[in-house]
Structures are given as C-alpha cells and as structure tokens.
Amino acid sequence: MSASRTSSASISNWASLYIKQERTKDAADAFGAFAKRQPLHAQAPQLQARVIDIYQNAGFATLAIDAKKDYVSRYGMEGEFRKANPEGWEAAQPLVKTHMAELARHHHALAQKSKASADYQEAVRWYRAYLGAFPNDPDAAQNNFLLAELLREDNRFPEAAVEYEKTAYQYPTHERSADAGYSALLSYAAQEKRVQGADLQALQRTGVDSALRFAKTFPADARTPTVLTNTAEKLFALRDERAEPVAEQVLALQPPAPATQRRVAWTVVAHSAFESSRFDRAERAYLEVLALTPEKEAGRNELVERVAASVYKQGEQARAAGKLRDAVGHFNRVAVVAPQSAVRANAQYDAAAALIALKDWDLAASTLEDFRTRFPKHPLQAEVGGKLAVAYMEKGQWSRAASEFERLAASSTDAKVARAALWQAAELHEKGGARTLAAKTYERYLKQYPDPLETSIEARWRLAQIAKKDGDAKREMALMNDIYRADLAGGNARTNRTRYLGAMASLALVEPSYEAYKKIQLVEPLAKSLKLKKAKMDEVLKAYSAAANSGVADAATAATYHIAAIYQDFSKALLNSQRPKRLSKLELEQYNLMLEEQADPFNEKSTELHEINIRRTADGIYDEWVKKSYTALKELRPVRYGKTEKSEAIVDAIR
C-alpha cells in the first residue's frame, strides 16, 4: 500500500483492521508512514497521535515514548509544520505540551532510579524545552519546580538555585512558590560546602540576598523566622551592616519567633552594637540573651563576661569624654552586673583612678583598700600602693601614706623606685609626728643605701634632728660628728648640700663647748676662773671660726654671730665678775675702771664682727643671724643702731 496515494481515511481504515487483527505494529506503522510521507499534511498530527495511542493502549511504553518524541519533534516550536500549516500547528500544541511534560517526567523518573547522568541530562532537556515552549502555561511553574528539583537531585546546585528562584518569584503566586524560594536557600547552602575564600563570601552574599527576598515575599511562612535568623547570623559573620537590622526583624515578628531564634537575634544585635562601640545598646542586648539562656548552659559565662565588658567600655567612653563621675558609676556597675567577671578587678581599679582624678580621696582610698583585699594576686596590685599613698597624703594621713611607701620600697624591682619610696616613707612618718618610726626608716635607708654621699648625710641630719626633738643630746652629737666627718672625707662626692650640712653639723658640735663656756662664772679667785673661762672661750672661738670659714653662707653668718656674741658675753662677764672682798670705795672704783678697760676691747671686737655680718646684706644675705646681729648692735651701738629709721638707712646704705 502506497501512503502517497492513499487518503488519511483509507489509512485509518487499514489501521483499524490491523488493530482488530491484533497487528499493533502494522497499525502504528500505517499511521506513522503517512506522517513520514506527508509530514506537512493537515491530518499528519492526528495520525501521528494515533501511533502514540496505539502503543500506549497496547502497553508498548518504549515505542510510545519514541512516538511522543517524534510527535514533539515534528510539531513543536521548531518544526516545518508550523510554517506550512499554522492552524494545524496550533491545534497540535496541546498534545505537544502534554507529551513534553510526560517526556520530562518519564526521564525524571528514570534518572531517580538509575542515577545516571544521561538520564538526568535528558530529563533536564525536556523540562527546559517545555518551559521554553510554554512559559506562560498554568502548569509552567510546577514544571519549573520539578526542573529545579531534578537539578538539585543531580547535585547541580547553582542551576537548581536559579530555577528555584525563577519558580518562586517569576510566576504568579502558586502553591509551590514558598517551597521553591526556601529550596533555593538549601541549594545555596549546599554550594557553600564546595567553595572557599573569596568565592565562598560572594556565594554567601548571594544566598543572603535570596533569603531576604524570601522573607519579604513570604512573611507569613512558618520558615521565615528561621530564614531571617540564619541570615542575621551570616550577615554578622560577613561583617555586613545589615546584620543588626535583620536581627531586629526577627525580634519584631508577630507572633514572636521561638525563644532560640530570638536569642540568636539578640546575640547578633549585641555583637553588632559592641563592635560599633554602642556599648549601652550592647549591654541591654546581652542581658536579653542571658534571659533567654538556661542557667547551666556552657556558654552562659561568656555572655556574662560580655555584659561586663559592655559596662566597662561605657566607663572607658565616659572617661575619654571627661565625664569622670559617670565613668566611676559604670566601672562600679561591673561588680553589680557581673561580680565574677574577669574585668571586674580592672573596673574597680579604674574607678579608683578616676576618683583620684576627681580628688575624691575618701572614696578613692576605700575603693583601693577593697581592691587590695579582694584581689590579692592581681597584677595591678603593684600599682595600688602608690595610688593609696597619694590618697592618704591628700587626706593628711601621713603614717598610712608612709606605710604604703614602705610596702612599695619592699616590693618594687626597680632600685630607684624602691630607694625613693623608702625615703618618702621616712619623711611622711616624720611629718606625721611618728618620730620613732621615722628614725627607724631613716636608719633602714642608711643601711640599704649607704651611697651616694649626699643622701646618706641627709639621712643622718634628719636622724640628728629627731634625736634633738627627743632630747637625746648624746645621739644628736654623735650623728652631727658623723655628718661633719663624712662631708670632710667626701672628696669629689661632696655637694653643696653636703657642705652645708657639714658646716651646720660643725656649728652644732660647738654647742656643748659653748654651754660649758657659759657655765663658767668669773668668781674669786678671779685669776683662776678667768683663765679657765678664757681657755674655754678660745676653744669655742676656734670651732666657730672653722665653721665661719666653711664657705657656707648660713654657717658663716651663724658662726660670725656666735663669735661676736661670745666676745660680747665675755665683756659682760668681766664687768659682772665677782669683786674682791675688803676693797675700799676708792679701790673698788679703780677696780671697776680696770675691768671696763679690760672689757671694752671685747665689745669692740663684738661690734666689728656684728658689722661684718650685716654687711653681708650687700651680697643678698639677710638671714636670722644677720637680723640678730642688727639686734645686738642696737645694744652695743645704740646711738647709731638704736632707732629703727637709722637702722633701715644703714641697711639701705650697705645694700
């Protein structure tokens, strides 16, 4: 039978006969031969469709599939039939669409069973062909979703993500829209496991954009809280400024998101605020996280530390802004919100430092005292003593300040610091009137630091002054002798200060001899007592002369005054000496004249020396000994120095 000479009706008749005779293949071939011989014939699509029906009805699935492929190939978008017979082509499209969908699902099922790449490729080809031919078909979205599923099953995650997003957002809302949008996120997550470095970050940002799109498009979806929560975490990891706003979205959801998700969101808010130095916001957020964290959960302690750090940082900010009282408040709050936190000790120390800057000495001292007791092994303990000493000094608690400097002297590894601290301790004990403690501290200083010469002599001088106040003249003189001899033997180590103290010591050493001189009274027999007093006077004058020539101005004025005073005293002693008994009136008058003649040279010498002293004002020296010389001259030369106006004129003339 020739198909070219046979009508479609004849072909149908013959095929029907073959079917009755159960000659299935012959029936199908009859219809197929017509379509092949006359592919552009108006009846060709219907006859080719009969081939498919025959195979399907007979259970010849493979032949039916091949026939469907042939049908789509002939009458699909790219076939010649469309140009030759537009109306016939239009009529064939419903079957084209049906067969394309069936072919896609057939190969999809094969791929799921075989896991063969070729089957996946074939299924993908048919899905894409369908979507390309019928993009606006009501079933397009469903088939697009199946394409995405197929790609994901074949581990082609980048392509799957694209198709899921297309399914979710490029069609009118349908029953699989939200599923597709969420599956896109799963595909991005799967991709992230396969990349690293910059590629991973870029992929994560793309996934984030998709997640935000999902949340915006499907706000009521049950998965949206989870999506937003995960997105906030990822954005924070990417250091993206959108992390906090997204976390805020989670917290604003109604009904509220589950507690675990709100905890994550608050954590993101807290971390973001902390890293952007908004520590007050960070504190509040961390407290929210704590409220959502079980008491025994492993990470709870770290959260407590975060709260403490947020409060501490607020203190630092206030301090930097010059708001010291606010800074103290924040530093002290650390102990309230997180008493066991690692930063608590530093906060308390910084509170004390701020209180010192505020000159709030009472609070500063009590804060430091508590720090010392509470944190005995803290590294900052080395700094506490110095600050406590400052506070105690400002409060006038000299002995307590001294004790701090002694502690510092004993603990410091810096020799200069230890030396200075011990000296300061001694001075403070002395200032506080604790002379015994001061003396012991100066002695300890001398033992530990015998050099340099100046400080060792200074320490002996201080000890001598303490002995003097204690009435221990013997010890005082012994120390003065040590000072004098140490300076005398000092050589190149001598300084202006050692020379001064040496000279002052030499003056002090004269005092016992001077007191001995003063005690000698000129009594009968006068010759004997006069000889004794004169000898003691010469001894004292020699000692004072050595001090006067020491080159130390203060010693020179003092020694000069004392020498002059001794001459004046000796003159008075002569005049007031005991008179011999049984002298007549005339003899007594002659005796008194003789004494006056003997006393006058001493007065003259005294006057001369006092005037030498007051002339030192020309060199800018006007100390207590010069002043005393003026007073003495008023007695010795009352006419010249007796009136104040004259004395001032003389001073001006000398200057």
Side-chain angles (χ1 to χ4, degrees), residues 561-582:
Y561 170 79
H562 283 302
I563 293 170
I566 288 172
Y567 279 123
Q568 185 179 3
D569 177 79
F570 194 79
S571 174
K572 289 180 179 180
L574 283 173
L575 294 174
N576 295 323
S577 63
Q578 188 179 25
R579 301 305 193 255
K581 297 178 180 179
R582 301 184 186 89

Side-chain angles (χ1 to χ4, degrees), residues 113-131:
K113 185 176 181 179
S114 69
K115 308 299 181 184
S117 177
D119 289 332
Y120 279 113
Q121 293 286 358
E122 187 68 7
V124 167
R125 184 174 75 82
W126 284 111
Y127 277 125
R128 291 196 188 282
Y130 172 91
L131 293 171

